[in-house]
Every structure is written in C-alpha cells, then in structure tokens.
Amino acid sequence: MTCEENRTILHAYLDGELDAPRSAEFEKHLENCAACVRALEAQETLRSKIRHADLYEPLPNDLESKIRRQLREASAPVPKRFVWQWLAAAAAVLFFAGISWRYLPKFGADSGLSASAFASEIVDAHIRALQPGHLTDVASTDQHTVKPWFDGRIAFAPPVKDFAEEGFPLIGGRLDVLQGENVAALVYGRRKHFINVFVWPERAGEAEQYTGSKNGYNWISWKQGELRLCAVSDTNRDDLNALKDLISR
Amino acid sequence: MLEVRRSFGERAEVKGRAFKVQDREQFDQLVLPHLRAAFNLARWLLRSREDAEDVTQEALLRAFRFFSGFRGSDARAWLLQIVRNTCYTWMEKKGSMGSNVEFDESLHLSPMPGPEAQAVSGSERERLTRALELLSPRSREVLVLRELEGYSYKEIATITAMPIGTVMSTLARARERLQELLAPPARKEAARDV
C-alpha cells in the first residue's frame, strides 16, 4: 500500500471507520512513515479547531414559529378535491356574473329584464348547490356552529337560526357568488326539499320585496335591516313565505 | 477493510419492520426537534442564512407532505436527506452550483486580496467559515455531516446517496483542502511548489 493510498485511509482511521485488522495495519504503517504521522497530527488539529470553533449555526428566532404556522395551514382539514370543485363552480359563476353585469342592467324594482336575469342566476345558483358535494361548506344543524363559520369569510353577519320545530331544519351554510359578489347561503330542509337562502348586503335602489318563479323554482327576495335575503326552492311559495316570516320574525 | 458490512440492504429491512406514522402530532414530535440541524445543513450548503431560512421552510413542508411515507427510526437523517435535496434543487434553479464536483481552483484562486488571503485573517471561526465556504457543496456537505453532526460514513452515504467509498474520499479531499486554505501563506506557497 502506497503512502498516497494511505492518505485516504488516514481519514477513515481518524474517524474510527476502519475495522480492527485494517486499523492495526495502518498503525504499523505509521511506525515507519513520519509523513503520515505528521499528516495525522495535522488532521487531528484541524478537527479540534473545527470542534472548538462553534460552527453550528444558531436558528433564526422566528423560523420555528413560521414553520409551525405553515404546517398548520398545510394540515387544515380541507379535502383538495372539494376545493377544486368549488373553485371551478365559483369561476363559472364569476364568468357569467361578469357577463350579465356588463350586458344587462342591474336588477331592481324598475326593470323586468334585470329581474329575470336575477331570477336565472338565483335559480342556477340553487340548482348548482344541489350538485353532490356543493350544498354546504359547513354542515350543521346547530346555528351556533354555522353562524361563527361565516365570521371572517364575509364582511356581514347573516341571520342564522334553526327552525326545526317549525318544519324548516337548518342543514348548513356555505359561501356562494352572485353577480360577482360573495354571498352567504343558508340551507334549510323542507320535507324532502332544500331551500337555499342567499344573504348579501342590501344595494341601493332595490325593492322591499319581490317574488318570482322560473322552471318550477320559486324565489322570494326581501329586505331585512341592511341585508337582502332571497329564498329559492322547488317547494311551493307558501313554504317560502313561511320561512321568510320565520327568518324575519 | 472498511466496515462496508453494514450495507445499504439494511435500509430496506428497517423499512419493512418499522412503524407507519402520519399525523401532524407525530411530525411535531419526531421531525420538528431536528429543525436546527436542518437549518444548519442548509446554511452551510447555501452559504447564506437568508437562503437557508427559505429552503428550510420549503424542506419542512416537503417533509410533512412525504411524512406518511416515512418508515424508519432516524427522523433526523430522513429530514437532512430532504433538506440537502431541497438545497441542491434550489442551487440548480439559482444556477449557483459552481463546480459541483470539486473545488475549482481557476475560479477561486483569484489575485489579491483573494478569498484565500481573507481566509487566513480574522478570528478562528471566521477563518474556518470562509475556508469552508470555498469548498464545493459536496465537500461542505460531508464535512458538516461528519464534523458537526457526527454521522458515520454509512449514515452520510445514506443521507447523500453517495457510495460509502465516495464519502470517504470526498471527506479526505475536503479536509486536505481545508487545511491548505487555513495554512499560513508562506507554507502554502511551499506546498504548491511541490
């Protein structure tokens, strides 16, 4: 074995990585090679310099909390597939809302055309909500679960009450988009039907109340404080009126 | 010969019998305690605390995503493996790999007051830091894993995906080179003439 080869072996020896026979062989070489002895000593010095230089990098103060925050976000229990479905639906609604916003006058008490555009959109939103997995973002019959869920998701507080005893059990809530704006949607059950109640801040110039129907779906829209509510369902108009009376009670 | 008896096959065995862990709580318990080691390795590989912060965050997120696939007992080595891979990806993206194989003399032996001149001034820690930063990423990596983490050749081979013989020769060259960089200029000239 040449001295050159031994220079690499020397490091394995230094690191205690040689097995016993190989180690003994190298020690024998050291007895006859002053150069390797010097090299070994130099390496031992270098090693102790490194160990004493305190090279281990201290952690930045806020790195751990940053990472914990990231991990919390990454592990939030939102099924990915649902998010994509939801985003796709929202994108579609935004697209059509954008079109109607541009080409149709704003719906209101004065225009029959805009009211029908509104009717289409609200009925479409209701039908869309009935697609599997779309009905609720927060599924709960407990108003104390559903109401806080909207906190921080929208800039207004929709009235959330359960009317199970009156025959309109609260099923849950979700966010939706109407005319390009975020709205709250409350979902109630009525026998085997669903009723979507959309809620958004009242816009200027809307009538107190109006109703309509399209393709067998009925809707009723009314003003309540600073909010505008609109209940939509395939159930009959009397049911909608009853629910409206309960909500605005 | 070298103790290559502890072969790579062992890894597969460890995989087979070990537990499966998935959730956040276990991640916090098993992986997060090694955050400082992760940051330390990233800092030495990237030669910058700022870059190391970014890459450590990315690496931890990756680790969390891969965590369900972690079967083993050494979460620290597992994490460091992800950190070094993330570092290399990052360096490739930034084009800051330099010479990834070995120290490139033509690049680094610039005229006065070149990096080597700087390497011999200042405190011991500063001198060592500058000298280490002149080494290739692979050399820095094995040195950090060996000298700062105390890993065996076999463990370093696992973390870096290098053959054990390459670990040994890289480490030998890295130390020789480090010594050269730290030597007083006069002795270095003499050494170069040989």
Side-chain angles (χ1 to χ4, degrees):
Chain A
M1 177 137 327
T2 68
C3 219
E4 191 62 33
E5 282 172 281
N6 274 315
R7 281 302 159 87
T8 302
I9 297 294
L10 181 150
H11 290 272
Y13 177 76
L14 182 74
D15 290 320
E17 293 270 345
L18 292 182
D19 56 21
R22 199 65 197 81
S23 193
E25 196 184 321
F26 182 72
E27 278 165 5
K28 216 162 160 192
H29 171 79
L30 283 178
E31 283 170 20
N32 304 309
C33 181
C36 275
V37 171
R38 272 199 307 277
L40 184 64
E41 280 168 3
Q43 284 302 330
E44 276 167 350
T45 308
L46 177 64
R47 156 168 292 180
S48 94
K49 265 189 203 165
I50 292 175
R51 300 224 161 138
H52 288 103
D54 198 17
L55 292 171
Y56 214 99
E57 196 70 18
L59 207 55
N61 283 334
D62 54 346
L63 186 60
E64 181 163 353
S65 57
K66 268 189 206 165
I67 285 171
R68 283 185 185 275
R69 201 178 323 129
Q70 273 189 330
L71 291 173
R72 249 197 318 279
E73 283 163 19
S75 53
V78 181
K80 270 192 184 141
R81 204 170 61 88
F82 180 74
V83 170
W84 284 112
Q85 282 178 348
W86 168 246
L87 281 177
V93 172
L94 275 171
F95 177 69
F96 289 110
I99 288 177
S100 51
W101 197 255
R102 228 177 128 177
Y103 295 104
L104 296 169
K106 236 181 160 176
F107 71 88
D110 53 332
S111 164
L113 178 65
S114 60
S116 95
F118 170 71
S120 301
E121 190 171 340
I122 207 102
V123 168
D124 287 351
H126 174 74
I127 295 169
R128 191 176 58 245
L130 299 180
Q131 304 302 307
H134 280 263
L135 194 58
T136 55
D137 289 341
V138 51
S140 173
T141 58
D142 181 3
Q143 63 201 52
H144 302 296
T145 302
V146 176
K147 193 168 173 66
W149 183 85
F150 283 109
D151 280 354
R153 289 182 165 85
I154 42 173
F156 55 94
V160 183
K161 273 178 228 151
D162 180 29
F163 303 110
E165 284 179 18
E166 293 86 350
F168 294 93
L170 178 66
I171 289 171
R174 71 173 191 283
L175 287 185
D176 214 319
V177 178
L178 280 178
Q179 306 240 324
E181 283 174 39
N182 286 330
V183 302
L186 304 171
V187 185
Y188 287 96
R190 179 58 173 168
R191 293 182 203 96
K192 292 196 169 175
H193 304 274
F194 290 110
I195 304 175
N196 268 292
V197 179
F198 297 96
V199 188
W200 64 90
E202 172 78 348
R203 283 176 274 226
E206 286 184 49
E208 278 294 312
Q209 180 177 328
Y210 40 97
T211 63
S213 66
K214 188 180 179 239
N215 302 341
Y217 294 94
N218 295 308
W219 52 272
I220 174 168
S221 170
W222 73 97
K223 191 181 161 195
Q224 186 168 324
E226 295 182 335
L227 298 175
R228 165 67 51 178
L229 283 80
C230 184
V232 195
S233 181
D234 58 347
T235 185
N236 64 57
R237 201 165 286 189
D238 292 342
D239 282 346
L240 289 185
N241 272 317
L243 180 60
K244 177 202 153 233
D245 291 342
L246 286 167
I247 292 175
S248 52
R249 193 165 61 184
Chain B
M1 228 11 235
L2 281 173
E3 287 182 290
V4 281
R5 285 168 282 135
R6 299 176 293 172
S7 73
F8 294 109
E10 207 175 287
R11 260 172 92 200
E13 278 172 43
V14 171
K15 270 190 170 182
R17 71 172 130 83
F19 54 97
K20 192 176 177 181
V21 282
Q22 305 208 346
D23 67 335
R24 179 64 209 288
E25 216 170 285
Q26 272 174 313
F27 186 82
D28 285 6
Q29 275 173 16
L30 289 172
V31 181
L32 274 190
H34 309 301
L35 185 58
R36 191 171 170 206
F39 179 73
N40 180 60
L41 179 61
R43 181 258 171 266
W44 284 110
L45 265 175
L46 303 170
R47 295 183 292 196
S48 145
R49 276 178 69 87
E50 288 76 39
D51 293 346
E53 265 198 69
D54 291 348
V55 170
T56 306
Q57 289 187 54
E58 193 185 325
L60 264 290
L61 264 186
R62 274 168 84 164
F64 183 59
R65 249 176 262 137
F66 300 151
F67 191 49
S68 58
F70 168 63
R71 295 161 180 82
S73 46
D74 193 349
R76 190 186 187 95
W78 178 78
L79 177 64
L80 292 181
Q81 203 172 351
I82 293 171
V83 168
R84 59 89 64 186
N85 289 342
T86 312
C87 283
Y88 278 101
T89 309
W90 193 90
M91 285 190 276
E92 267 164 37
K93 243 190 308 193
K94 295 261 167 170
S96 63
M97 273 296 270
S99 83
N100 103 31
V101 190
E102 257 315 299
F103 181 79
D104 186 343
E105 305 258 342
S106 62
L107 242 166
H108 294 288
L109 288 187
S110 46
M112 291 291 283
E116 293 204 26
Q118 288 169 22
V120 293
S121 65
S123 78
E124 193 71 42
R125 185 180 195 276
E126 286 165 18
R127 294 174 54 208
L128 266 168
T129 300
R130 277 194 293 268
L132 267 167
E133 289 183 345
L134 288 172
L135 302 178
S136 72
R138 295 223 186 274
S139 297
R140 292 200 296 274
E141 180 176 30
V142 289
L143 271 172
V144 167
L145 292 174
R146 176 64 219 167
E147 304 294 3
L148 303 187
E149 293 295 341
Y151 276 120
S152 70
Y153 288 10
K154 190 211 143 209
E155 287 164 325
I156 297 172
T158 305
I159 293 169
T160 60
M162 287 186 215
I164 220 161
T166 310
V167 170
M168 183 173 74
S169 59
T170 307
L171 194 54
R173 267 202 307 277
R175 282 174 175 154
E176 304 282 346
R177 184 65 193 143
L178 197 57
Q179 204 159 43
E180 247 179 274
L181 287 165
L182 290 166
R187 249 189 70 193
K188 218 162 43 191
E189 286 308 317
R192 205 173 297 152
D193 290 342
V194 175

